[in-house]
Amino acid sequence: MNDRCCKQAFGLTDVVVSAKEERGRCEICHGPMKVQKTYRHEGRTLRHGVFEVCETVYVCAGRCHHPVGTLVTQRSLSVSQTIMPNCNAGYDLMVFVGRQRLLEHRQREEIMAALNDDYGIRISAGEVSDLAMRFSQYFLRLHYAKADRIRKILENDGGWPMHIDASGENGRGTLFVVMAGWRKWVLGAWKIATEKAELILPCLRDTVERFGPPCAGMRDLGRAVTPALNDLVSELGLEIPVLACHQHFLADIGKDLLNSDHCALRDLFRRTKVQADIKRLIREFGGKIGLQIDDARQTVIAWQEMEDHTYQLPPGKNGIAVVRALSQWVIDYHADASGLDFPFDRPYFDFFNRCMIGSKAIDAFLRIPSDDRKVTGALKRLGRILTKVACEVPFRHIIKRLQRRAELFDELRDQLRTAKKLPENETVADIDLMRKRFYDWTASLKERRPKRGPAQDMRDAIDIILKHIDVHGEHLWGHVITLPENAPSRMRLVSRTNEIIENFFGTIKHGERRRSGRKNLTHDFERLPAEAALVYNLNQPDYVSAVCGSIDRLPLAFAQLDKEEARRKEKGLPSQKMSNLDKILQLSTSSLSSADRHVVRTENMNQRIIKAARSRAPRVAC
């Protein structure tokens, strides 16, 4: 009874809405229309809740037919603009579910609860998934239907830089995206079987056909996107700069320079068990402090804030707490990271530096030992662990070589001005100055290269950098784009990195982890429709204004799509032009795609192979 009252309060439950509009005229003979049928069906919308509608359908009295052979009929306009065809859900209900699922990354149970609590509408978990999928498909149709308008906007901007990239999870569910860099609009998204040039090129062609040629191309250094973008530019026959991402360029050099030594340093730390021994010591000290751990933490804070900077540690458990905190500081080397990952962050090099600093600090504290012998003993135990790092010869050799190469890499990074966050509001003069300094530094690097002698490692390091510059140097510059005379400005800069689309993929994965609660997104990315990437355009107000005016008018825009599609079918015209790349993009070039797993991972397949393996097949005479 309570549920029934709630539904009646929210909507029109137990109320039959009559949808009998004024009869129009036949669009072919312009004669009168008569009633063909009147029928009841359910409707569910956010605006009206759950209701029943009695809809009257009219038919031409002269029995006129459309070119495809169907009778000329007239449905209620208010119903067709509210409820989707062959469905009892309203357009606004689908938009709500789709946005909650694909943009807000809500779980199905959360969406079901919100609909029930706020609108008195109950739907199943399966309906949530179905409506979300419908929403992504409708949005793809709307995106393509407004392609001409989007193309005009991009042309008025003076063009658009094409940012391209692909991402997946453990080699599966690869999502390829084309983005207009200045507007940050996703122009195209496809699921491809694997990242290969022959699969990427058709996607680029489709984007250019719909939205016009780009004024520049930005890519990473991948073996698939590089030839695909080069082939596209050759086909277009235009002078379009193809730019390599500075961040990926640096990462590629950094890995070649530092990876072997950094891995050797990691293996050496594991072999000497420095971190494991320190953690064991920390657990032991925590056990000695026991239930007084909160008081011990306050003591450490007070010790940090002491103004006299005394080197003598306090006695008792307070001293043990300080030694414990010092041990924790040593293994907290990840705090020195910038968040850009290797090779920009070098965690084991940071660990080595903390071990060395910690060892020197312990020497200072031991010069004026604590009055408590147990505290002094604990400090000496930590010192003996860190001594393995300070005195081991292999550590010295690896660190010396790693430090020398890291300094070279950091020099290159300074020349390209790539910190954790790129400089804002760069100008044409900034780019020109940066390019000049980069070329000057490259020339000086050639002069610094040792010709002979024992400096073999320095020669190798410099050769690695120069080789990358020779291969990718021509694609590092060209970010200044001269715009047509009708553009808002005469020149505009293309971003020096591909972080726009990299951050976009990061946002998608963050949202999918929020929705699924899983760290590994292999299954989720396989099930995620490519159209979900386009839905993120709803976060861009200028895009929303271009395709539908406002978010509130999005259901009406979808209804208009269905109306126009029905008109085309009645007249025998082809449907709206959609992408026909699905079969091409899902070529079975991957080792075990999800489609193949449905075929291979079956009991019949197991039985068939086992039966063949256990039998003696007859030999056929040749």
Side-chain angles (χ1 to χ4, degrees):
M1 178 65 72
N2 182 52
D3 290 345
R4 184 180 181 85
C5 292
C6 288
K7 286 183 179 180
Q8 288 178 335
F10 278 114
L12 300 173
T13 303
D14 294 340
V15 176
V16 179
V17 180
S18 177
K20 185 177 181 180
E21 299 180 354
E22 185 178 350
R23 306 184 188 191
R25 289 281 178 174
C26 173
E27 61 187 59
I28 296 178
C29 68
H30 304 290
M33 306 285 283
K34 66 177 183 179
V35 176
Q36 181 192 39
K37 62 179 178 178
T38 301
Y39 69 103
R40 285 190 180 188
H41 59 90
E42 187 183 61
R44 292 179 296 173
T45 66
L46 299 187
R47 184 178 180 183
H48 307 98
V50 181
F51 59 92
E52 282 217 8
V53 59
C54 183
E55 183 180 1
T56 300
V57 180
Y58 298 101
V59 66
C60 174
R63 308 295 291 179
C64 290
H65 289 73
H66 290 291
V68 293
T70 58
L71 287 169
V72 177
T73 58
Q74 174 192 335
R75 280 193 65 197
S76 169
L77 183 62
S78 59
V79 174
S80 62
Q81 288 184 345
T82 304
I83 301 176
M84 293 184 288
N86 303 317
C87 182
N88 60 15
Y91 289 102
D92 59 351
L93 175 58
M94 176 188 66
V95 169
F96 176 84
V97 172
R99 291 181 62 199
Q100 290 291 309
R101 188 71 168 160
L102 299 176
L103 275 184
E104 302 299 330
H105 303 283
R106 303 296 180 190
Q107 296 179 345
R108 292 185 295 184
E109 291 75 12
E110 292 177 302
I111 298 173
M112 292 161 58
L115 286 173
N116 188 41
D117 295 342
D118 299 339
Y119 302 99
I121 299 175
R122 286 188 174 182
I123 63 174
S124 66
E127 285 181 285
V128 171
S129 299
D130 179 66
L131 289 175
M133 183 62 69
R134 280 178 181 246
F135 175 75
S136 65
Q137 293 167 352
Y138 268 95
F139 197 85
L140 176 64
R141 290 170 55 194
L142 181 64
H143 180 71
Y144 285 158
K146 302 299 180 180
D148 291 339
R149 186 179 299 178
I150 295 173
R151 180 171 184 160
K152 186 66 176 178
I153 293 174
L154 297 177
E155 288 176 353
N156 291 338
D157 290 342
W160 59 282
M162 174 187 283
H163 289 251
I164 61 174
D165 200 7
S167 182
E169 195 78 2
N170 295 326
R172 297 181 185 173
T174 305
L175 176 64
F176 178 71
V177 168
V178 177
M179 180 178 287
W182 291 333
R183 289 277 181 174
K184 297 182 181 179
W185 292 355
V186 178
L187 298 183
W190 300 266
K191 299 299 285 289
I192 57 179
T194 185
E195 196 170 349
K196 295 178 72 71
E198 53 265 35
L199 303 184
I200 292 175
L201 184 56
C203 302
L204 301 182
R205 289 171 179 156
D206 183 75
T207 304
V208 171
E209 181 183 352
R210 295 179 187 275
F211 304 104
C215 61
M218 170 58 69
R219 56 166 175 79
D220 57 21
L221 308 183
R223 296 180 180 179
V225 295
T226 300
L229 190 52
N230 291 340
D231 290 346
L232 177 71
V233 173
S234 299
E235 291 176 4
L236 294 175
L238 301 175
E239 292 294 329
I240 299 174
V242 177
L243 305 172
C245 172
H246 283 190
Q247 197 84 4
H248 283 86
F249 174 71
L250 284 170
D252 204 33
I253 293 178
K255 289 175 182 177
D256 289 347
L257 274 177
L258 307 175
N259 189 57
S260 59
D261 289 327
H262 192 263
C263 288
L265 181 61
R266 177 200 61 199
D267 295 340
L268 191 56
F269 268 117
R270 290 176 178 176
R271 189 163 62 248
T272 54
K273 298 181 180 179
V274 173
Q275 189 169 1
D277 290 342
I278 295 176
K279 288 182 177 180
R280 189 179 303 111
L281 205 62
I282 292 171
R283 290 194 294 270
E284 181 183 332
F285 292 157
K288 290 181 179 180
I289 297 172
L291 298 178
Q292 299 174 345
I293 188 66
D294 291 334
D295 295 337
R297 292 190 179 108
Q298 294 302 318
T299 300
V300 173
I301 294 174
W303 176 77
Q304 294 172 2
E305 297 173 349
M306 291 176 63
E307 295 183 357
D308 57 354
H309 297 291
T310 178
Y311 290 96
Q312 190 175 37
L313 299 186
K317 291 185 178 180
N318 292 339
I320 296 295
V322 172
V323 178
R324 177 176 177 269
L326 178 58
S327 307
Q328 290 173 321
W329 180 87
V330 172
I331 65 171
D332 189 31
Y333 55 91
H334 292 291
D336 296 334
S338 65
L340 293 178
D341 298 330
F342 183 82
F344 305 100
D345 290 332
R346 301 174 280 272
Y348 287 96
F349 186 68
D350 294 335
F351 187 26
F352 173 84
N353 288 334
R354 288 216 171 195
C355 287
M356 295 299 294
I357 294 172
S359 180
K360 292 178 181 179
I362 289 172
D363 289 341
F365 292 139
L366 287 176
R367 289 180 183 178
I368 305 178
S370 172
D371 296 333
D372 191 334
R373 295 177 59 185
K374 292 184 178 180
V375 174
T376 303
L379 195 61
K380 287 181 178 180
R381 289 178 63 188
L382 177 60
R384 284 194 292 271
I385 297 174
L386 300 183
T387 301
K388 292 189 288 186
V389 177
C391 299
E392 287 272 354
V393 174
F395 274 106
R396 295 181 183 178
H397 289 328
I398 294 174
I399 288 297
K400 186 177 181 180
R401 189 165 58 248
L402 184 60
Q403 193 166 15
R404 186 166 53 233
R405 292 191 167 208
E407 288 173 358
L408 267 181
F409 176 70
D410 290 337
E411 281 184 40
L412 174 60
R413 189 179 177 189
D414 289 340
Q415 296 301 319
L416 295 179
R417 297 174 63 190
T418 52
K420 183 175 182 181
K421 189 175 183 180
L422 288 177
E424 295 183 358
N425 302 321
E426 287 184 323
T427 63
V428 175
D430 293 333
I431 296 294
D432 291 339
L433 180 61
M434 188 189 312
R435 179 172 55 184
K436 181 181 180 302
R437 289 179 176 176
F438 177 79
Y439 286 143
D440 292 342
W441 181 80
T442 303
S444 69
L445 193 64
K446 294 178 181 178
E447 295 177 358
R448 288 159 53 187
R449 181 183 183 275
K451 304 296 182 183
R452 60 182 65 87
Q456 179 67 41
D457 182 66
M458 179 59 73
R459 281 197 298 273
D460 293 341
I462 292 177
D463 287 343
I464 289 173
I465 296 176
L466 294 177
K467 180 181 178 181
H468 280 79
I469 293 175
D470 289 340
V471 173
H472 304 289
E474 63 177 311
H475 300 291
L476 293 178
W477 309 104
H479 303 83
V480 182
I481 305 299
T482 303
L483 303 181
E485 294 182 358
N486 61 343
S489 60
R490 292 295 295 140
M491 287 187 179
R492 198 166 180 181
L493 295 179
V494 178
S495 175
R496 293 191 292 114
T497 69
N498 213 19
E499 69 173 0
I500 295 175
I501 202 165
E502 295 278 353
N503 293 342
F504 175 74
F505 281 126
T507 301
I508 291 180
K509 292 187 176 182
H510 177 77
E512 285 300 303
R513 288 191 176 96
R514 190 266 173 215
R515 181 191 59 77
S516 67
R518 288 187 287 266
K519 180 180 180 181
N520 190 320
L521 297 177
T522 303
H523 175 75
D524 303 279
F525 249 66
E526 283 188 319
R527 300 293 299 274
L528 184 71
E531 297 83 6
L534 294 172
V535 175
Y536 280 82
N537 286 334
L538 291 177
N539 292 326
Q540 306 295 334
D542 50 354
Y543 178 89
V544 175
S545 177
V547 298
C548 62
S550 66
I551 290 292
D552 294 336
R553 294 182 59 83
L554 189 56
L556 186 60
F558 289 160
Q560 190 65 27
L561 285 178
D562 283 335
K563 181 179 179 180
E564 293 172 358
E565 182 67 20
R567 287 292 186 188
R568 279 193 291 267
K569 288 182 178 179
E570 289 172 352
K571 296 179 180 179
L573 299 176
S575 298
Q576 176 188 348
K577 184 181 178 183
M578 302 292 287
S579 177
N580 56 355
L581 301 178
D582 291 344
K583 291 185 178 180
I584 299 174
L585 301 182
Q586 294 304 319
L587 292 175
S588 296
T589 53
S590 57
S591 57
L592 187 60
S593 64
S594 57
D596 289 331
R597 281 201 306 276
H598 290 305
V599 176
V600 175
R601 195 174 292 176
T602 62
E603 186 62 28
N604 289 339
M605 188 68 172
N606 293 339
Q607 294 298 329
R608 188 64 186 261
I609 294 176
I610 292 172
K611 184 177 180 180
R614 292 177 177 175
S615 65
R616 277 191 175 180
R619 294 184 179 274
V620 179
C622 297

